[in-house]
Amino acid sequence: MAVRHKSVETKYMEQRDAVLRGLRWLDRRSFLKAAAAAAGAVMARGLMPPHSFQLIEIANAATSKDFGTVGHQGSAPFRIAYISDSHLYERTLNQRFIRAIVRAVEDVNALDPQPDFVLYGGDLAQLGTRQQLDLGRQILAELKPPVKMMVGEHDWFLDLGDAWQEMFGPPNYSFDWKGVHFVVLMSVHEKDFWTARHMTPMERMRTVAGLDNPIQSRFEVGEEERKWLAADLAKVPHTTPLVVFSHSPLYKYYRDWNFWTEDAEQVQALLQPFSQVTVIHGHTHQMLFNRIGNINFYGMLSTAWPWPYAPQGLPPLTIQMNRADPFDQLDGCGDGQFMMRADGLVDTIYALWDRNPVSVPAGYLLSGGKSDRPPAPQFASY
Amino acid sequence: MHRYQVALLLAAGGLVSSAGMAIAPRVLNAQQPVAHHPVPATKNGNVVVMLCDGKTSLEIKGLKPGHTMTHDQATAVARQLMQKWQRAHPGELWQMAQEEGTQMRPTTTEQGNPSPNLPSAPNQPPSGEAPNPVPHPANPVQEQVQGVPVHRQAQPQQQGDTYASFNQRDFRVWQAETQKFVEYGKRVFHSDKLLGGTIGVSCDMCHPDAANTHPETYPKYQVQLQRVALLRDMIEWCIENPVKGATMSPNDPRLRALEAYILAQRKGVPLNYGKH
Amino acid sequence: MFRVRIIWGLLLLGFISIIVARAAFAGPDQSNSPLASPRPLDQVGFPHELYGWVIPPDNPQTPAKVALGKQLFFDKRLSEDNTEACASCHKPDKGFTDQQPTSDGIHHQFGQRNAPTVLNAAFNVLQFWDGREPTLEDQAKDPIVNPIEMGMKNFDEVVARVNGIPEYQEKFKAVFGGPATMIDIQRAIASYERTQVSFNSAFDRFMAGDQNAISAQAKRGWAIFNGKGRCMSCHGWNPTQPMFSDNRFHNIGVSAHKSNFVPLARKALALLARGGGAQQLDELAIQTDMSGLGRFLVTKDPHDIGGFRTMGLRNLLVTQPYFHDGSQATLWDVVDHYNKGGVQNPFLDGGIVPLGLSEPEIDDLVAFLATLTSPEYLSAAQVEFRKQLKLSRTSRPQRDTAAAMGQLGRNGPGFEGPFGDIGPDQNQMAENPALLGGR
């Protein structure tokens, strides 16, 4: 057969692969140069990279009555993208997880319109080494929108946050954007289980990295940070929409796997006075949503692998995602978007790879599951 | 016929392997080789079969290795073997398999409340040389040994070189060995190194506490393999695919221990083969 | 019983070889060829259970209906200018395909899709490459009215033409009790197509216990098929459904060669939104560049972009060329395509990864695929195999060894991580499924 025509898309993917291959030996400067060249090659043609195809907008517009309507509070609806739980190893060990986060970066860069910013939901690294974090930083640097970083336990427990804070700054902070108050928490503090056991930093890290490792303590925001949160929120009127980013779920789902925040009730109490509150969390690697009091909770997907649903404690409002097919390395993984609505609530899109995206409007949680119900899975978790 | 099922199967096993099987549920740890019980040789090279106690053996006149018996002959041999055992253990009760669904092992139960009819007297074997029917304690004494319910045999007739003579220490040993095996499986399950993985992936990363491994649903049609699979087929598949390691030999202690750990995590879940 | 079948198979084989030779000179109309006749169900490997499930209750097989369907299948009067019959693109001697990349319709117009075989189409869960029709009955009507296939204006015209032929009046009355209707035409054609079942291959005899039915090389290939090659994940075989297809839709990157999916998908959505029904869908699939969107045209689900139905593998040496656009000439090209992990595109199926197959392994795999040939096509397949083998020694357009082996090769200097998600030792099989054949 004759040499076949290569589409722009194929060429783009080849260039992307070349960049990825380059990760093997390039230093950061050369990597960025190569990455920019690849991206530029596409942009120069005035073409969108392939992931710009966003059918969900059509689907969402059809199903969600609220999204896109003019808000009664005067703030414009906007979009936040997220990438979470990439669990990067060193580039020489595992490139499957690298390819997954690169795919997510491309997804986000291709959104049209672009999100106002991107939340990185924590667990950038698998074992918290400087190399792993730096690799993640290089890849996330390719994101076109601004990035808000959040820390996860896999980023933290090797050096108790030294490298991460050096690269990304303080782990808890707040900011205001288009009338919404955003708080980013460091919610994966653990009580000291390592000193008495004479653990090395890597032993400590590996202990925390194991979900079913009973030695570690439960996650908590901690008294000090709760004080900081109370002081931060004291300045914000209770009618201001509030969005809290936290790596751990900020409620108690399943203790044995640390799908759990020990001081969840105290943190929730600080959020209850606000009229519109959304908590967005990582760590659980699955479609997960909940409502407690007036707080809507959404869990984020992982780019690396899906967790099974825990044997107990699944919030009744959660509609499970279909059981993942291990043959398909992308199945059950993905990224997603939050649609900040004019009324201050958040609709969520789970952009599951190799599947249709699932839209979970705030109305579903508000109605206690009566309306806007997402589709049920064919095969629920065991 | 049901009464002879167990003895017959054991005798047949001896025929094939020329070695009896130990009656005790000998738990193998990772490194321990399987025990063998060689049968005594005969002058004229006839096949010798051994009972699963590892001691009682019987020469089958006229049967040379490599030849097979008819079903009726095998039944008769099994019967003779049992009679020999019963002669050597007068007054002791062999726990015959009664009917389908009846547990063979009489000593421990999950609830610590053994079914009173469990070790009931066997029906009279047609041979006539039946053991004395032994009345069974209506309320067997229970005691806890480190969380393991133990059925203490109160009847003196039960004492002897059989199941009935096992004591608390035996149970503890068995339990400890089983636990060690499962613990080893847990280590393998959580270690990409022991699994032989090449990309830092271990089982627990997708299956904390072996969740979503559903060992109780095997055998079932496994879409990834496009055939009916056993649990260990899927373990092998996972080692080869997500873990990116080399598949293990069926006798690999790591594979056996992984299976043990996964099954141990689902203790108490009813078997439900073929479930999707 | 089994021995009887073998003898029967050998007899058939001899008989068929003569017929094949004769068919080659029989001219364009092959309706009298024995290859066009309904085939016996008593074939080694025939899935009797499955066959029972796929005959629709409202269209039972009867000899008279099958004969009528056969006549319609070969009748050029079903096309606008009396030049094309179903059999024009589904030729019995070519495995009920036309062995062209895409098909030649009225006025020599070419569509976008490779003609799939009728052989064993009875067992497909959905019909066409994109599954846009659920049954053989529904499928049969579309090409008749497709403007560049058989070109009839509409179904009324088809019915009128059939009813205008005295011979058909008689037969429809006998079979269906009245004048022809469109649905009865479809039913008759579908009934005939359901008689084209083709098993009895060397592989089937191997699976039935004949260890000598296939070569050692093919046995190695069967192991690769089920192991390192990952073929069985979509092309799985089992005795209940021995069709080598999961009947699902996968983007393996074939149309990424020449499609820009995103703008195409937008364009297709805009067109489909106006609503044109099955006929519009058929025309988009056959006549436009939107063909490459595959299953997406039917479902409009983004994950179906570029997805096409998993084709069964039986008799694939007489149904070349390969893939939905007929873009690959040889089985080596097909294996090369998979070996390098398909063609990258954003909708590529997550199960398509580089395989790391070596050249001998590729040869083994192709040798296995060749055993899926039914005896009636054996000599034609042997010719084709030799042709492809020769071609593959000089031309391998899809080969990309670096990609297949994980970019730099598994054992390349300093390469510690498997780029292409290739395991270190996939040659080791937990169990060689070839041993299944010995049971």
Side-chain angles (χ1 to χ4, degrees):
Chain A
M1 301 296 288
V3 177
R4 307 204 69 81
H5 167 70
K6 276 186 184 169
S7 69
V8 170
E9 203 173 302
T10 300
K11 286 178 194 159
Y12 173 81
M13 298 308 282
E14 284 173 359
Q15 281 164 339
R16 191 201 71 160
D17 278 356
V19 170
L20 198 53
R21 226 176 298 150
L23 287 172
R24 169 72 185 82
W25 58 82
L26 294 185
D27 60 19
R28 179 161 191 272
R29 185 182 298 259
S30 334
F31 165 75
L32 291 176
K33 212 167 135 191
V42 175
M43 301 319 289
R45 290 185 181 86
L47 292 160
M48 283 300 200
H51 289 72
S52 61
F53 188 62
Q54 290 294 321
L55 271 181
I56 187 63
E57 287 173 58
I58 295 160
N60 194 57
T63 55
S64 170
K65 294 180 293 294
D66 302 314
F67 179 62
T69 54
V70 179
H72 55 267
Q73 298 192 357
S75 60
F78 61 93
R79 186 199 306 239
I80 306 162
Y82 80 79
I83 300 173
S84 193
D85 294 86
S86 301
H87 294 268
L88 294 172
Y89 276 113
E90 276 74 15
R91 60 189 62 162
T92 48
L93 177 61
N94 180 315
Q95 302 200 5
R96 174 174 152 191
F97 296 161
I98 298 179
R99 294 210 297 188
I101 186 179
V102 167
R103 176 168 175 153
V105 167
E106 291 185 339
D107 275 358
V108 171
N109 280 346
L111 288 175
D112 183 17
Q114 280 281 283
D116 285 20
F117 61 89
V118 184
L119 167 69
Y120 189 80
D123 286 355
L124 183 57
Q126 168 69 1
L127 296 174
T129 68
R130 207 165 273 273
Q131 294 95 316
Q132 292 167 3
L133 289 168
D134 197 51
L135 173 63
R137 179 169 67 162
Q138 289 175 35
I139 294 168
L140 292 179
E142 293 306 301
L143 282 165
K144 290 192 284 187
V147 183
K148 301 290 179 187
M149 291 299 293
M150 180 156 71
V151 75
E153 78 278 11
H154 287 255
D155 305 320
W156 190 265
F157 279 92
L158 183 63
D159 57 9
L160 298 178
D162 287 350
W164 194 91
Q165 292 179 87
E166 214 175 279
M167 287 185 210
F168 304 113
N172 55 307
Y173 55 99
S174 68
F175 58 96
D176 294 287
W177 182 255
K178 291 187 179 174
V180 181
H181 187 65
F182 288 92
V183 178
V184 182
L185 291 179
M186 156 48 182
S187 57
V188 290
H189 291 292
E190 293 199 16
K191 299 252 189 299
D192 184 347
F193 61 83
W194 50 88
T195 307
R197 291 183 168 90
H198 306 291
M199 285 182 163
T200 65
M202 188 44 97
E203 282 166 354
R204 174 178 61 207
M205 180 68 249
R206 285 187 173 278
T207 302
V208 174
L211 205 60
D212 54 2
N213 191 326
I215 290 172
Q216 62 181 309
S217 97
R218 303 303 100 187
F219 292 142
E220 58 182 33
V221 174
E223 194 180 348
E224 195 186 329
E225 197 174 313
R226 288 202 309 272
K227 278 184 192 154
W228 169 84
L229 179 63
D232 182 81
L233 294 180
K235 296 173 284 187
V236 184
H238 290 172
T239 51
T240 302
L242 176 63
V243 175
V244 179
F245 296 139
S246 159
H247 185 71
S248 74
L250 287 192
Y251 61 92
K252 291 174 172 172
Y253 169 8
Y254 187 59
R255 193 172 192 279
D256 287 6
W257 296 352
N258 239 344
F259 286 5
W260 189 270
T261 304
E262 192 70 29
D263 52 358
E265 290 85 357
Q266 286 107 305
V267 179
Q268 287 169 18
L270 295 172
L271 309 180
Q272 286 295 348
F274 289 82
S275 48
Q276 291 106 356
V277 195
T278 306
V279 171
I280 286 160
H281 67 86
H283 187 60
T284 49
H285 299 208
Q286 56 194 230
M287 268 174 55
L288 184 66
F289 20 99
N290 195 7
R291 183 172 170 85
I292 298 172
N294 65 331
I295 309 173
N296 286 351
F297 296 85
Y298 289 109
M300 291 182 274
L301 298 172
S302 158
T303 62
W305 71 80
W307 287 121
Y309 286 97
Q312 291 157 24
L314 186 67
L317 279 174
T318 289
I319 308 272
Q320 295 190 10
M321 59 188 195
N322 236 340
R323 205 182 300 156
D325 173 4
F327 182 80
D328 182 335
Q329 299 178 353
L330 305 175
D331 196 24
C333 303
D335 44 52
Q337 297 157 54
F338 302 113
M339 304 297 186
M340 199 70 225
R341 313 195 308 184
D343 63 4
L345 290 170
V346 173
D347 293 339
T348 298
I349 292 168
Y350 289 95
L352 288 152
W353 293 329
D354 277 19
R355 301 185 186 182
N356 288 331
V358 178
S359 182
V360 184
Y364 169 70
L365 297 179
L366 280 178
S367 68
K370 291 190 180 66
S371 67
D372 295 322
R373 197 176 177 81
Q378 183 175 13
F379 289 108
S381 194
Y382 281 99
Chain B
M1 219 55 219
H2 278 298
R3 284 176 293 154
Y4 294 100
Q5 210 164 30
V6 170
L8 182 63
L9 285 174
L10 293 165
L15 265 182
V16 175
S17 64
S18 292
M21 294 166 77
I23 193 165
R26 196 176 286 269
V27 176
L28 302 165
N29 76 20
Q31 283 76 33
Q32 203 171 13
V34 180
H36 285 276
H37 298 270
V39 292
T42 60
K43 271 178 277 181
N44 41 20
N46 285 334
V47 166
V48 178
V49 292
M50 186 180 278
L51 195 65
C52 54
D53 64 351
K55 291 171 186 168
T56 313
S57 64
L58 184 73
E59 179 181 351
I60 304 171
K61 299 261 162 35
L63 186 74
K64 303 294 180 209
H67 290 88
T68 52
M69 290 184 286
T70 65
H71 181 262
D72 288 345
Q73 284 171 327
T75 307
V77 167
R79 192 173 297 164
Q80 285 169 28
L81 204 51
M82 278 308 298
Q83 286 166 359
K84 193 172 173 184
W85 178 84
Q86 280 159 350
R87 279 195 298 276
H89 302 85
E92 286 188 22
L93 182 63
W94 177 263
Q95 303 296 340
M96 285 289 195
Q98 298 293 306
E99 294 292 335
E100 260 184 76
T102 305
Q103 248 180 312
M104 189 189 166
R105 305 233 169 109
T107 45
T108 62
T109 66
E110 181 66 26
Q111 269 67 42
N113 182 17
S115 161
N117 63 358
L118 189 62
S120 60
N123 295 335
Q124 197 84 346
S127 65
E129 277 201 35
N132 298 328
V134 181
H136 241 75
N139 296 302
V141 184
Q142 285 295 308
E143 61 184 295
Q144 292 288 127
V145 182
Q146 290 182 338
V148 183
V150 174
H151 176 196
R152 194 172 62 199
Q153 298 289 346
Q155 301 297 319
Q157 296 97 313
Q158 293 279 330
Q159 298 303 315
D161 187 18
T162 73
Y163 260 160
S165 69
F166 291 121
N167 58 25
Q168 286 175 26
R169 180 201 288 216
D170 294 310
F171 289 118
R172 283 178 177 164
V173 168
W174 300 348
Q175 189 71 8
E177 281 296 296
T178 310
Q179 204 50 39
K180 277 179 196 158
F181 193 41
V182 168
E183 286 293 334
Y184 177 64
K186 183 177 179 177
R187 284 205 300 284
V188 179
F189 195 85
H190 287 71
S191 163
D192 63 302
K193 298 277 183 303
L194 285 172
L195 286 162
T198 55
I199 59 168
V201 173
S202 54
C203 312
D204 64 301
M205 284 167 68
C206 293
H207 301 281
D209 291 331
N212 208 26
T213 52
H214 38 79
E216 74 281 6
T217 65
Y218 293 93
K220 70 171 170 190
Y221 197 83
Q222 190 75 42
V223 179
Q224 287 76 22
L225 304 169
Q226 288 289 340
R227 60 187 165 112
V228 178
L230 302 175
L231 172 64
R232 66 168 44 190
D233 297 328
M234 204 52 204
I235 297 173
E236 293 270 29
W237 186 90
C238 278
I239 290 170
E240 196 175 5
N241 287 281
V243 173
K244 296 293 171 214
T247 52
M248 296 176 184
S249 135
N251 295 322
D252 192 313
R254 295 171 299 163
L255 181 67
R256 295 159 46 73
L258 278 171
E259 203 173 330
Y261 171 68
I262 291 167
L263 287 164
Q265 294 309 103
R266 292 293 268 190
K267 183 173 180 173
V269 177
L271 289 175
N272 192 1
Y273 84 94
K275 178 176 184 276
H276 282 279
Chain C
M1 183 63 184
F2 174 66
R3 194 161 292 170
V4 171
R5 284 192 192 168
I6 292 273
I7 291 164
W8 183 89
L10 287 172
L11 281 175
L12 182 77
L13 182 62
F15 180 54
I16 293 297
S17 326
I18 298 162
I19 291 152
V20 169
R22 193 179 288 170
F25 302 99
D29 183 6
Q30 299 177 25
S31 59
N32 295 323
S33 157
L35 285 173
S37 300
R39 291 159 199 238
L41 306 188
D42 186 21
Q43 303 181 37
V44 181
F46 182 80
H48 292 276
E49 209 177 358
L50 186 66
Y51 197 63
W53 302 337
V54 300
I55 306 293
D58 63 351
N59 190 23
Q61 302 284 92
T62 67
K65 196 195 293 172
V66 167
L68 174 58
K70 182 183 172 192
Q71 190 175 354
L72 290 164
F73 189 88
F74 286 90
D75 196 332
K76 292 179 176 174
R77 289 172 293 188
L78 261 58
S79 66
E80 184 62 22
D81 60 358
N82 300 315
T83 60
E84 300 284 330
C86 304
S88 304
C89 299
H90 302 283
K91 299 176 167 67
D93 69 331
K94 294 186 171 174
F96 282 88
T97 69
D98 54 9
Q99 295 181 352
Q100 299 189 67
T102 61
S103 294
D104 184 357
I106 58 167
H107 310 307
H108 292 293
Q109 301 176 87
F110 284 84
Q112 300 283 324
R113 299 265 173 95
N114 179 261
T117 180
V118 174
L119 293 171
N120 298 328
F123 301 104
N124 295 343
V125 173
L126 297 171
Q127 302 296 339
F128 290 126
W129 279 97
D130 50 16
R132 64 185 181 276
E133 293 290 2
T135 65
L136 283 173
E137 282 82 356
D138 294 304
Q139 184 277 335
K141 70 184 191 305
D142 288 358
I144 300 176
V145 293
N146 182 292
I148 66 169
E149 290 182 332
M150 294 161 78
M152 294 294 273
K153 295 272 179 306
N154 53 49
F155 298 129
D156 291 342
E157 192 187 40
V158 180
V159 174
R161 192 178 286 187
V162 170
N163 278 327
I165 301 167
E167 194 184 350
Y168 279 133
Q169 288 166 8
E170 208 174 288
K171 287 188 177 167
F172 271 90
K173 185 155 177 50
V175 174
F176 294 105
T181 64
M182 196 60 213
I183 183 63
D184 287 340
I185 293 171
Q186 294 164 228
R187 281 179 177 145
I189 295 174
S191 288
Y192 168 64
E193 289 176 328
R194 287 199 179 93
T195 66
Q196 296 307 319
V197 292
S198 188
F199 294 83
N200 252 346
S201 68
F203 171 80
D204 292 311
R205 298 199 304 280
F206 172 62
M207 277 302 171
D210 179 1
Q211 279 292 320
N212 299 322
I214 68 174
S215 68
Q217 187 185 27
K219 286 177 195 171
R220 291 197 301 273
W222 174 225
I224 293 165
F225 185 91
N226 287 285
K228 187 176 177 182
R230 296 166 62 103
C231 314
M232 86 303 177
S233 283
C234 299
H235 293 285
W237 173 94
N238 63 57
T240 311
Q241 182 168 273
M243 306 317 303
F244 296 95
S245 168
D246 61 358
N247 283 297
R248 289 162 73 188
F249 299 85
H250 304 277
N251 177 327
I252 59 170
V254 173
S255 51
H257 279 303
K258 48 190 178 189
S259 304
N260 281 331
F261 283 132
V262 177
L264 265 188
R266 289 213 163 105
K267 197 166 142 191
L269 278 182
L271 283 170
L272 290 166
R274 284 178 222 153
Q279 210 166 332
Q280 181 202 27
L281 191 59
D282 188 67
E283 290 176 22
L284 288 182
I286 300 299
Q287 289 155 257
T288 73
D289 54 356
M290 277 161 262
S291 179
L293 293 169
R295 180 70 176 159
F296 172 77
L297 285 176
V298 182
T299 64
K300 306 188 192 90
D301 288 337
H303 77 266
D304 279 329
I305 289 178
F308 290 90
R309 189 161 61 81
T310 307
M311 283 284 150
L313 302 178
R314 289 180 175 277
N315 291 311
L316 78 186
L317 277 171
V318 285
T319 62
Q320 75 283 359
Y322 308 106
F323 293 152
H324 74 271
D325 53 359
S327 58
Q328 303 310 324
T330 74
L331 291 172
W332 278 268
D333 297 337
V334 171
V335 177
D336 282 345
H337 174 92
Y338 288 112
N339 199 21
K340 68 184 176 186
V343 175
Q344 282 294 330
N345 73 84
F347 307 99
L348 185 68
D349 191 285
I352 301 293
V353 296
L355 301 173
L357 297 178
S358 68
E359 282 300 309
E361 285 171 335
I362 293 171
D363 288 345
D364 291 351
L365 192 49
V366 175
F368 159 68
L369 293 173
T371 69
L372 304 180
T373 306
S374 300
E376 61 271 28
Y377 291 113
L378 208 50
S379 55
Q382 279 163 354
V383 172
E384 175 66 18
F385 183 83
R386 282 193 291 270
K387 195 178 116 198
Q388 290 191 15
L389 177 65
K390 197 177 163 200
L391 188 57
S392 73
R393 299 304 107 160
T394 55
S395 165
R396 295 284 287 278
Q398 295 302 324
R399 179 159 65 185
D400 184 343
T401 308
M405 295 299 168
Q407 298 298 341
L408 301 179
R410 273 184 285 179
N411 306 314
F415 193 81
E416 298 142 82
F419 177 86
D421 304 319
I422 296 174
D425 198 9
Q426 295 205 356
N427 284 321
Q428 283 195 20
M429 300 294 301
E431 177 206 2
N432 187 338
L435 300 175
L436 283 171
R439 289 184 311 193

